[in-house]
Amino acid sequence: MKQLVVVAGLGLIGGSMAKAFKKHTDCLVYGWNRTRSVAERALADGAIDGIADEEVLARCDLLIPVLYPRATVAFLERVIPTMKPGAAIVDLVGVKEAVEEAVTPLAAAYGIRYTGGHPMAGLARAGYERSFAELFDGASMILVPTETTGAGDLDRFSDLFRQVGFGTIRICDAKTHDRMIAHTSQLAHVVSNCYVKSPVSANYDGFAGGSYRDMTRVAPLNEKVWTELFAMNRAALVEEIDLLIARMNEVRQAIVDGDEATLERLLREGREARERIELLHPNEPKFE
């Protein structure tokens, strides 16, 4: 019997996940979306086998919510009491501790196997219309077990997500996830969004190369979802921002003082830090 999978939220990530499951697995794939017309388009496109209603949600084997953080919690608070015992959930919210604290007790109360997830893939702009089955090819999938994660679930989910294209599966606890994501993702969005607000930025034509494009690529973020992500990971993100400000102030002061020796040392330390990172990750793409 085919496994019934429901993807709830058919934007860029959810739409791509549904398409990847439909293309690469033999699962029966249903979709749910707050705006039904998006689910109807996904059905017409062949991205899903059907549109999930309450009855389908109640009998699904695997539920993958891909909603805003607080909407995910609200959705699961409504749906979990209706799901069959033993069903599994892997949410794809980009912050884990706050969601885990809200969802795990409810999952435990109703016999639901709940595991956190976070696909490290995406585009600068979102929406179902940009979704495609190959979005996750070679990407990393982070799995965050909870006390309700079932025996063997991590192996099963690892196999399943590799099947839909992921090249790496990383398993960690929620605190580690949020600390690392504050640095590798959230801080980058903060910096890009602030950087592009310079009054000279609009006049970049003819003055910009790859560095400007790289720095501004993620500036056009979805401010609603990123506000929630930042707020729900407050402690870890503030720590990263404070560390960055301290380092930038060191550079600023060296420039103000005309202290070229200190400035050269600080820049060298940054170069050497990046070189050490490359040595630790020899299989990652090199930046020339």
Side-chain angles (χ1 to χ4, degrees), residues 17 44 51 72 92 125 152 172 176 180 194 205 223 236 260 263 282:
M17 190 66 70
I51 298 175
T72 293
L92 302 189
R125 299 183 187 276
C172 68
T176 298
M180 290 303 301
C194 292
D205 190 30
E223 63 271 15
E260 294 188 15
L263 182 58

Side-chain angles (χ1 to χ4, degrees), residues 2 7 15-30 42-43 45-50 133 164:
K2 290 186 176 182
V7 179
S16 296
M17 190 66 70
K19 290 175 180 179
F21 266 81
K22 191 77 170 64
K23 180 176 181 178
H24 297 296
T25 77
D26 62 356
C27 297
L28 192 62
V29 183
Y30 273 63
L43 181 61
D45 290 345
I48 56 177
D49 295 300
V164 300

Side-chain angles (χ1 to χ4, degrees), residues 235-256:
L237 181 55
V238 168
E239 182 177 351
E240 282 297 316
I241 291 172
D242 287 346
L243 287 169
L244 178 63
I245 290 172
R247 296 186 191 104
M248 292 187 71
N249 276 331
E250 287 182 326
V251 173
R252 180 185 183 279
Q253 193 60 51
I255 294 170
V256 168

Side-chain angles (χ1 to χ4, degrees), residues 62-126:
L62 174 61
L63 173 61
I64 304 177
V66 199
L67 306 167
Y68 287 12
R70 293 187 180 114
T72 293
V73 173
F75 177 78
L76 291 177
E77 287 175 342
R78 176 175 66 82
V79 170
I80 283 176
T82 73
M83 295 177 70
K84 65 182 183 183
I89 296 171
V90 178
D91 82 273
L92 302 189
V93 177
V95 62
K96 301 270 63 114
E97 274 195 288
V99 176
E100 181 180 304
E101 289 172 2
V103 175
T104 301
L106 189 62
Y110 287 91
I112 303 300
R113 295 150 39 215
Y114 165 57
T115 299
H118 187 183
M120 301 308 295
L123 301 174
R125 299 183 187 276

Side-chain angles (χ1 to χ4, degrees), residues 70 95 98 186 225-235 237:
R70 293 187 180 114
V95 62
Q186 293 182 346
V225 67
W226 283 95
T227 293
E228 291 191 22
L229 290 169
F230 291 170
M232 294 174 77
N233 199 22
R234 181 181 296 108
L237 181 55

